[in-house]
Amino acid sequence: MAQAMLSKKNNTEIKTKIAVAHGDGIGPEIMKATLKILDAAGAQLEYEPIEIGEKSYLSGHTSGIDQNAWNTIKRTKIILKAPITTPQGKGYKSLNVTLRKSLGLFANVRPVVALDPYITSKAPNMDVVIIRENEEDLYAGIEHQQTEDVVQCLKLITRPGCEKIVRYAFEYAKVYGRKKVTCMVKDNIMKLTDGLFHSIFKEIAKEYPNIESESQIIDIGAARLAAYPERYDVVVTSNLYGDIISDIVAETAGSVGLAGSANIGKEIAMFEAIHGSAPDIAGKNIANPSGLINAAVSMLAHIGQTEVADKIKNAWLATIEDGIHTPDIFQEGWSTIKASTQRFADELIQRLGKKPKSLKSSQLQRGNGNIVIPDFHRKKTKKVLVGVDVFVDWQGDNPKEIGDRLKEIEAGGLKLKMITNRGVKVYPNGHEYTFCTDHWRCRFVGIEADTSAVPPMYSAIDPDRLILLLSKLHSQGIDVIKTENLYKFDGKRSFSLGQGE
Ligand code: NAD
């Protein structure tokens, strides 16, 4: 990012090169309006256009981007991107997810502010920033069909991923003068994955004693965020929850056409509107360019051009206050001009240098956007293998039948401890009402383990035993679809118990 900062040489301001993607649908219209505003405001930028999205997909690049575009992005390190259309049908990967993950854009930052009464909002005092983890969770996109009945998506939560995003949220709060960070997780159910996110949040929060911290379970958190967004300041959460709650708050503020988002990585950052390419209104010159304008404002703050960022943001607020509204936010009797996309941009340009009369004016100058996250250092832990979950495809419906059969197989010094179906224990001593699919998780542990102790005492086993067990199961005609090793890390059980185990 240092190269992207505004600098002066021989009294001439050096322009920051940025990659610009004009996008699909309404993309080119809102990008044209946004670039016109950036130029008029005096942003020190040099644009390098890249071709990504629909045309690239249809010319044979299944991820929607070609090598030239990658090269430009890696050189400029900053991207201003209009929305793109992902073609319908299988085989096309989402370009957004590809860009975020390939470029290490770990933090998705969405500030949402209500502009009531100028844009009617259900929560007139909301001013919230959602900071969403951007690279992992269920969006790892690792899915498999395992049996006729069952498909699976892997939820991957990592220590480096959690540390980066949680620290980013606290640093963001510090830099931008925010008072509180709320963590949203579902660790009452997902004790290992969401539990890791939550425990890292609590660890890191202690390093920021001047910033209030709180945690909420995502379901009640999302409900309260929708009902009382003004009670929140910065919210940090994992990828899927963040995707959902950021749309909830944007909609509560008045329109999806208003909010911009930043995708921040260690070296590269991408700025875009939160909405899509809106093909239903493309080419009509009626799209609201505000989301992309706000994204461009965040970009300017990120590269250190905070003065011009505040100038554009204040002119935008003044334009909205004056009732110059695109059709999506136009209110009869309240708005003064139903503006086209380009007219909105022209009206904003006329207001450059002005501040809003009653809305809170922009103070991006306070933050320099230059948040540095330390590199991750892995701590050494002691990992001990204590068993294996063998997943079996079996189309019977009586758990006792498969349980009694597997109980007889004591291969390599491993014994069957229990069987679950969709996580619920069905053998031994299951309930007759539990619905069973054709996907059985059969837990094998060392014969020395004391599984009747509370909590169970597991013994270390040799990995060779797993191979013997699998070979025996195979020879007995058991259809093994996958295995998952059971470990203790630093003496702690590191796998979940079955419900009812
Ligand atoms: P969308 O956000 O494009 O549109 C949803 C609704 O909001 C539509 O009625 C649209 O007219 C309206 N809308 C959106 N932006 C607006 C604006 N600036 N001004 C006024 N009204 C606006 O969502 P969608 O219809 O689900 O998706 C359309 C396409 O966009 C799909 O191909 C999808 O894959 C893509 N998409 C791209 C991105 C991105 O590039 N970041 C994000 C989301 C969706």
Side-chain angles (χ1 to χ4, degrees):
M1 202 184 73
Q3 293 154 304
M5 301 285 282
L6 179 72
S7 56
K8 288 194 176 187
K9 198 179 175 188
N10 303 331
N11 285 337
T12 345
E13 278 172 324
I14 293 178
K15 292 187 171 186
T16 299
K17 289 184 178 178
I18 63 165
V20 174
H22 290 260
D24 304 314
I26 58 170
E29 300 159 56
I30 59 174
M31 185 57 87
K32 184 176 163 202
T34 303
L35 297 185
K36 193 171 178 189
I37 292 165
L38 287 170
D39 291 340
Q44 295 302 305
L45 299 169
E46 193 178 316
Y47 310 126
E48 295 207 18
I50 52 172
E51 185 74 76
I52 57 174
E54 208 170 18
K55 272 196 206 136
S56 178
Y57 279 117
L58 299 177
S59 68
H61 299 97
T62 50
S63 52
I65 178 163
D66 63 15
Q67 195 53 45
N68 285 339
W70 282 122
N71 295 345
T72 306
I73 290 169
K74 286 179 187 171
R75 187 161 27 78
T76 62
K77 297 186 164 48
I78 300 288
I79 316 158
L80 182 63
K81 175 181 159 292
I84 54 123
T85 302
T86 310
Q88 297 282 321
K90 288 191 177 166
Y92 295 112
K93 292 293 269 184
S94 157
L95 174 61
N96 279 329
V97 178
T98 303
L99 286 170
R100 289 169 187 162
K101 293 203 295 197
S102 310
L103 299 173
L105 310 180
F106 65 91
N108 189 310
V109 184
R110 280 190 185 180
V112 184
V113 189
L115 302 171
D116 204 82
Y118 307 100
I119 297 171
T120 311
S121 164
K122 294 184 187 81
N125 298 316
M126 75 185 285
D127 180 358
V128 61
V129 183
I130 307 294
I131 298 190
R132 159 190 169 196
E133 197 291 318
N134 225 9
E135 294 175 290
E136 53 191 47
D137 191 10
L138 288 157
Y139 288 51
I142 306 174
E143 295 188 295
H144 297 98
Q145 175 158 6
Q146 298 179 325
T147 66
E148 256 175 61
D149 292 356
V150 176
V151 283
Q152 172 196 267
C153 177
L154 281 188
K155 171 165 168 135
L156 294 179
I157 300 287
T158 70
R159 177 165 277 278
C162 295
E163 285 189 7
K164 275 192 291 185
I165 195 67
V166 170
R167 192 170 293 287
Y168 186 88
F170 279 100
E171 284 294 319
Y172 182 97
K174 197 165 97 180
V175 165
Y176 289 99
R178 298 271 174 170
K179 306 269 180 296
K180 183 169 77 171
V181 180
T182 305
C183 165
M184 292 196 188
V185 281
K186 186 79 182 170
D187 61 341
N188 53 335
I189 305 295
M190 284 162 278
K191 295 181 201 273
L192 261 66
T193 48
D194 283 28
L196 178 66
F197 193 101
H198 194 187
S199 69
I200 289 172
F201 177 79
K202 286 190 282 191
E203 268 168 39
I204 291 180
K206 287 189 199 132
E207 295 175 34
Y208 298 85
N210 297 328
I211 298 169
E212 196 188 328
S213 64
E214 64 173 9
S215 307
Q216 291 178 353
I217 297 293
I218 183 70
D219 37 6
I220 187 64
R224 290 202 182 130
L225 201 47
Y228 320 105
E230 66 283 357
R231 293 187 191 169
Y232 294 85
D233 196 348
V234 174
V235 178
V236 65
T237 189
S238 52
N239 207 338
L240 177 62
Y241 308 146
D243 199 0
I244 297 167
I245 63 172
S246 48
D247 269 22
I248 292 176
V249 292
E251 195 66 22
T252 312
S255 166
V256 287
L258 296 172
S261 81
N263 297 273
I264 308 287
K266 192 173 169 199
E267 293 196 34
I268 299 180
M270 177 171 82
F271 300 84
E272 59 183 342
I274 68 161
H275 57 76
S277 57
D280 52 334
I281 56 167
K284 297 183 178 162
N285 196 19
I286 57 170
N288 191 340
S290 299
L292 193 59
I293 295 169
N294 280 319
V297 165
S298 301
M299 177 189 73
L300 291 170
H302 182 82
I303 60 176
Q305 297 190 30
T306 46
E307 204 173 315
V308 70
D310 276 336
K311 191 171 162 190
I312 295 174
K313 185 74 183 230
N314 284 328
W316 179 74
L317 291 165
T319 310
I320 297 283
E321 263 188 354
D322 287 347
I324 295 147
H325 295 163
T326 44
D328 57 314
I329 52 170
F330 187 85
Q331 297 170 82
E332 211 60 66
W334 180 257
S335 306
T336 53
I337 295 173
K338 192 183 267 185
S340 67
T341 310
Q342 304 311 319
R343 168 90 187 261
F344 184 88
D346 292 337
E347 294 284 346
L348 189 156
I349 288 166
Q350 280 178 29
R351 287 166 180 76
L352 285 168
K354 287 193 177 161
K355 286 197 171 168
K357 294 181 207 83
S358 68
L359 290 169
K360 199 168 115 197
S361 59
S362 176
Q363 288 184 314
L364 288 162
Q365 280 193 68
R366 201 169 44 187
N368 66 6
N370 195 0
I371 296 172
V372 178
I373 302 297
D375 287 338
F376 173 72
H377 294 290
R378 188 169 296 117
K379 285 189 205 123
K380 266 267 162 264
T381 47
K382 189 165 176 243
K383 174 177 161 186
V384 176
L385 181 69
V386 297
V388 63
D389 279 346
V390 178
F391 290 77
V392 167
D393 181 346
W394 182 66
Q395 297 201 340
D397 53 11
N398 182 0
K400 193 165 176 323
E401 202 182 311
I402 184 163
D404 287 348
R405 202 169 144 202
L406 294 181
K407 210 164 173 221
E408 295 306 310
I409 301 177
E410 265 195 17
L414 291 169
K415 64 179 177 189
L416 179 72
K417 177 171 189 282
M418 60 137 193
I419 300 178
T420 67
N421 198 297
R422 292 187 301 169
V424 183
K425 194 183 82 166
V426 291
Y427 181 88
N429 308 324
H431 294 279
E432 66 271 36
Y433 299 111
T434 307
F435 178 77
C436 291
T437 65
D438 55 2
H439 187 267
W440 307 81
R441 186 257 305 254
C442 309
R443 176 160 292 174
F444 287 85
V445 295
I447 43 175
E448 309 85 2
D450 181 0
T451 51
S452 54
V454 183
M457 304 285 287
Y458 297 99
S459 51
I461 61 165
D462 192 287
D464 286 353
R465 293 195 195 182
L466 307 186
I467 295 154
L468 286 172
L469 174 69
L470 291 182
S471 162
K472 183 91 179 263
L473 291 170
H474 178 68
S475 67
Q476 303 260 332
I478 304 288
D479 183 3
V480 173
I481 48 173
K482 76 160 193 169
T483 61
E484 202 73 66
N485 291 355
L486 307 179
Y487 293 109
K488 284 206 277 191
F489 280 86
D490 283 344
K492 220 171 114 196
R493 173 176 53 82
S494 303
F495 48 91
S496 57
L497 296 176
Q499 252 139 9
E501 185 178 352

